[in-house]
Amino acid sequence: MKKQLLVICALFCLVMVCQAQASGIMCGDEQTESYFPLLKNKRVALFSNHTGLVKGRHLIDVLLAHHFNVVGVFSPEHGFRGKADAGETVGNSIDEETGVQIYSLYKGEGGKPDEALLNKTDILLVDIQDVGLRFYTYYISMYKLMDVCAERRIPVVILDRPNPNGFYVDGPLLDMKYKSGVGALPIPVVHGMTLAELALMINGEGWLSKGRKCPLQVVACKNYTHQSHYDLPVPPSPNLPNMKSIYLYPSTCYFEGTVASLGRGTDKPFQIYGHPLLKGGTYDFIPRSISGAKNPPLLNEQCHGVNLTMIPNEDIWKNGLDLSYVIDAYRKIGIGDKFFTPFFEKLIGVGYVRKMIESGHNAKSIKARWKNDVKKFKIQRKPYLLYPE
């Protein structure tokens, strides 16, 4: 009994330490003394969106208030103000609040950075909140920008931010034959790195075109470790509205590659799943056309399924990437291989997972298949980590 109490006390203390660390975290953009001198007399381009906040104030406003020459902004998926649907084409525009030109990386031309902005850029500043998953596209936009900046020798300064899923690594390494707009690098689904760490790895592993190196500087977070649990101050995209959705995202995003709904068009995206044919569901919902999900799968159809919002965060963290939800839906909808679409392989990144599900394997046995991938990657990434594990 005494031993159990000691274990409980130790765990409690560890949680308190992690929370204390998280509450005192300082993001890179707050450390203006570290990067303002780099911007003096430079034409500054910014890669950011609505998450680029410095103590509640957008970085672009901070830069303009200090009379820096911001020549334009590269915006990622969902647009600069973070309101567009997933994958929605977003054109170039003028930011209504600042008058600065926004150059979209999601305007239907392969996401290539605009030559017009690159031609008048002396330095690129990166400040954007990622969620640490291979299929979340902000890192892919950064990767493309690093590539063109490497070619043109434009310095890139990354103002780092914590990874809300940065306390574990899980999932298979991407088989590069499934490389796509939702998977660009040979990394696991949950890579456990911040954007700055990943950028250092991109440079160090020679993943840019022709093995080029991007001129890179990093302003690291303070008081952050890979065991910190960091609550995001604003939703990073329209369908990740809260921390529950962000923690479940590594396990529920695969429904995008199936006939089932993961809750787009409801107030619980990535936190529920269902389908009109699902048998034995305990939760009903109807996807509607709403802001951020204008045409969701199974629009206006009643879906039977499961509500995951009551699962404690601690259980989600413990299970990591959990395929049991997809397996449950596959079995209860009962339509065999028609359950999956080709997009499933792009999300999971390998060809064997679908086959194992169809042959009756459970989530635990499938996870065992990528155990060596995780071990290999953790060794490979170690030289690039900026924060204690």
Side-chain angles (χ1 to χ4, degrees), residues 126-261:
V126 175
D127 184 23
I128 193 166
Q129 181 62 62
D130 192 52
V131 298
L133 303 179
R134 191 183 63 222
F135 41 63
Y136 200 65
T137 62
Y138 294 170
Y139 84 91
I140 300 177
S141 294
M142 180 188 73
Y143 168 66
K144 290 178 179 178
L145 287 167
M146 285 178 63
D147 202 41
V148 295
C149 286
E151 183 180 16
R152 292 166 172 259
R153 305 307 298 166
I154 297 172
V156 175
V157 179
I158 299 181
L159 309 179
D160 209 15
R161 290 178 168 274
N163 176 355
N165 285 307
F167 46 90
Y168 71 107
V169 177
D170 208 349
L173 291 171
L174 176 66
D175 181 338
M176 294 302 279
K177 77 178 183 181
Y178 296 114
K179 182 179 179 180
S180 71
V182 291
L185 300 173
I187 58 179
V189 173
V190 187
H191 54 72
M193 304 175 80
T194 67
L195 279 184
E197 291 174 323
L198 190 55
L200 291 170
M201 190 171 190
I202 288 169
N203 252 0
E205 296 297 310
W207 288 340
L208 296 177
S209 298
K210 300 179 181 179
R212 289 189 287 251
K213 306 292 182 186
C214 176
L216 188 64
Q217 289 181 261
V218 170
V219 181
C221 302
K222 292 183 177 179
N223 305 318
Y224 172 69
T225 80
H226 283 286
Q227 293 308 309
S228 301
H229 289 283
Y230 179 70
D231 286 356
L232 302 191
V234 294
S237 52
N239 287 286
L240 292 178
N242 52 41
M243 294 308 299
K244 187 73 73 177
S245 64
I246 290 167
Y247 292 142
L248 284 167
Y249 189 40
S251 302
T252 56
C253 187
Y254 313 104
F255 284 111
E256 304 268 41
T258 74
V259 298
S261 167

Side-chain angles (χ1 to χ4, degrees), residues 7-65:
V7 171
I8 291 169
C9 288
L11 290 172
F12 178 78
C13 289
L14 179 61
V15 170
M16 292 299 102
V17 167
C18 289
Q19 289 178 344
Q21 288 172 334
S23 64
I25 289 171
M26 180 181 287
C27 296
D29 63 6
E30 297 177 62
Q31 302 167 55
T32 54
E33 72 285 354
S34 296
Y35 64 94
F36 272 13
L38 304 175
L39 310 181
K40 189 176 180 181
N41 300 321
K42 295 289 199 311
R43 297 172 298 176
V44 181
L46 182 63
F47 172 50
S48 189
N49 63 0
H50 64 290
T51 65
L53 299 179
V54 187
K55 295 181 178 178
R57 190 180 184 194
H58 200 285
L59 177 61
I60 195 171
D61 297 316
V62 174
L63 295 176
L64 293 175

Side-chain angles (χ1 to χ4, degrees), residues 343-383:
F343 195 55
F344 181 82
E345 275 71 28
K346 292 181 179 180
L347 290 169
I348 196 64
V350 291
Y352 64 78
V353 170
R354 181 201 297 221
K355 294 175 183 176
M356 290 185 75
I357 291 173
E358 291 179 347
S359 63
H361 286 265
N362 61 24
K364 186 177 179 180
S365 66
I366 297 173
K367 187 189 283 271
R369 178 79 178 265
W370 64 63
K371 182 179 179 180
N372 286 336
D373 281 1
V374 170
K375 185 177 180 180
K376 174 184 173 183
F377 180 75
K378 291 182 80 170
I379 295 170
Q380 184 186 16
R381 73 171 190 162
K382 200 169 186 64

